[in-house]
Amino acid sequence: MPKAPLLAPPGPPTISFHWDGAPVAACPGDTVASALIAAGELATSRSAKYRRLRGSACLHGGCGTCLVRVDGRPNQRACLTPVREDMRVEPQNTYGGLDPTALVDQVFRRGIDHHHLVVYPRIANQMMQGVARELAGFGELPDAPPEDVAGVVDHAPEVLVIGAGRSGRALATTLAAAGHPPLVVERRPAAALGGSDLPARLLAGVGVFACYPQERLWAAASEQPAVLHRLRPRHVVLAVGAHEPTIPLANNDLPGSCPHVASRTCSNRQVASSARASSSSARAPAPSCWRAPSPPSASRRRACAS
């Protein structure tokens, strides 16, 4: 793997994991995405329609462009998965190290739209669609069934706050002071939140995915451990923050193009890691800074076909 670091490391790396068979060094507090970015590995996937390179973009689990295979489990968000020693992280839809989309790139140098490719005759279109869907899938089934059966937990809070950002925390503090402590649900892991004002009743690493108004039911889930949360609150407050728009520039969808919030998230995580690593030092470390990413080299274009 080429060494082209794009982030200054917060300290000496103490964790080693494998990306597509190659060792990658990481620091405590890193996610798979931040460790790969620091190592210069930007591309992790492919777009389903035009097969353009994709990589970590929002860095908080909102876009889904950084799906990878982790220890045999497909479709894991690299930006929300903490690094662990000796974990195996792989791009999806590759075959023994061979990326079929590399061949597609050579034939269709301006990109490919499989919805309008080989439309006639019908039999040829059906064959082409079968191949295209196989290449543009979202990984293969897990290597093995999960060891534990997913659990189910029911909650009936008076107030449910979705989001543990600044607004969500401020509201939780105010409600708790008034004698109505809410249940706060946040899809980011607790390690990524930081701060000393975390709500007392916090479900971190849990993402809300559905609302059923007739049943007054909200559904959320966590992956590790695998738990389905059924929420029946009396009141609900959405404190999910804003979505930063993408600036309309050429190639703004390619790996390495990240909004300001994403770069700040990655830098804050590194600063937090540095602070923990040097807690005995009187001088706090300087914040890490992004360096302008160069276009991915040919060796860095081995990404999955999703």
Side-chain angles (χ1 to χ4, degrees):
M1 183 182 68
K3 295 297 181 181
L6 301 176
L7 284 171
T14 59
I15 300 174
S16 177
F17 69 98
H18 292 86
W19 163 248
D20 203 13
V24 177
C27 300
D30 264 332
T31 62
V32 171
S34 64
L36 290 178
I37 292 173
E41 292 287 349
L42 298 180
T44 59
S45 62
R46 291 268 184 163
S47 66
K49 184 173 182 179
Y50 293 105
R51 319 206 54 72
R52 288 170 65 82
L53 287 169
R54 290 288 182 265
S56 300
C58 70
L59 291 178
H60 59 71
C63 64
T65 63
C66 62
L67 297 179
V68 293
R69 190 177 185 89
V70 178
D71 290 334
R73 298 184 60 190
N75 301 323
Q76 305 298 301
R77 284 180 168 86
C79 63
L80 296 182
T81 303
V83 293
R84 301 188 307 274
E85 184 69 27
D86 291 330
M87 70 188 304
R88 294 181 297 107
V89 184
E90 302 167 296
Q92 299 186 145
N93 294 80
T94 59
Y95 303 91
L98 173 65
D99 178 12
T101 56
L103 301 177
V104 176
D105 290 342
Q106 296 298 320
V107 178
F108 301 93
R109 294 184 177 275
R110 292 188 176 182
I112 178 174
D113 178 3
H114 65 81
H115 293 291
H116 300 91
L117 179 67
V118 193
V119 179
Y120 299 103
R122 185 177 181 83
I123 183 65
N125 178 260
Q126 291 176 343
M127 294 177 60
M128 184 280 302
Q129 289 289 346
V131 174
R133 288 168 181 163
E134 181 70 19
L135 293 177
F138 291 97
E140 300 176 351
L141 292 175
D143 291 346
E147 298 179 358
D148 300 324
V149 178
V152 179
V153 179
D154 289 303
H155 307 268
E158 181 180 7
V159 181
L160 170 66
V161 177
I162 302 177
R166 292 183 179 180
S167 299
R169 296 188 199 186
L171 177 61
T173 300
T174 301
L175 289 174
H180 304 281
L183 176 64
V184 182
V185 178
E186 170 60 52
R187 67 183 173 189
R188 292 174 295 172
L193 298 177
S196 59
D197 58 341
L198 294 179
R201 301 176 63 193
L202 172 65
L203 291 178
V206 176
V208 176
F209 64 86
C211 172
Y212 304 94
Q214 297 297 329
E215 294 82 3
R216 304 180 67 86
L217 173 68
W218 294 71
S222 61
E223 293 186 356
Q224 295 184 1
V227 177
L228 172 66
H229 296 268
R230 296 185 297 199
L231 308 158
R232 290 183 171 86
R234 293 184 59 189
H235 308 281
V236 179
V237 179
L238 301 180
V240 295
H243 181 76
E244 188 172 11
T246 302
I247 300 176
L249 298 175
N251 295 324
N252 62 357
D253 62 324
L254 294 181
S257 176
C258 296
H260 164 68
V261 172
S263 60
R264 185 181 63 188
T265 298
C266 200
S267 295
N268 288 345
R269 183 180 290 117
Q270 288 199 308
V271 171
S273 299
S274 297
R276 287 193 296 268
S278 59
S279 58
S280 60
S281 175
R283 183 177 181 181
S288 304
C289 298
W290 283 79
R291 291 208 289 261
S294 57
S297 62
S299 58
R300 254 187 271 158
R301 287 177 177 267
R302 292 170 50 215
C304 79
S306 58

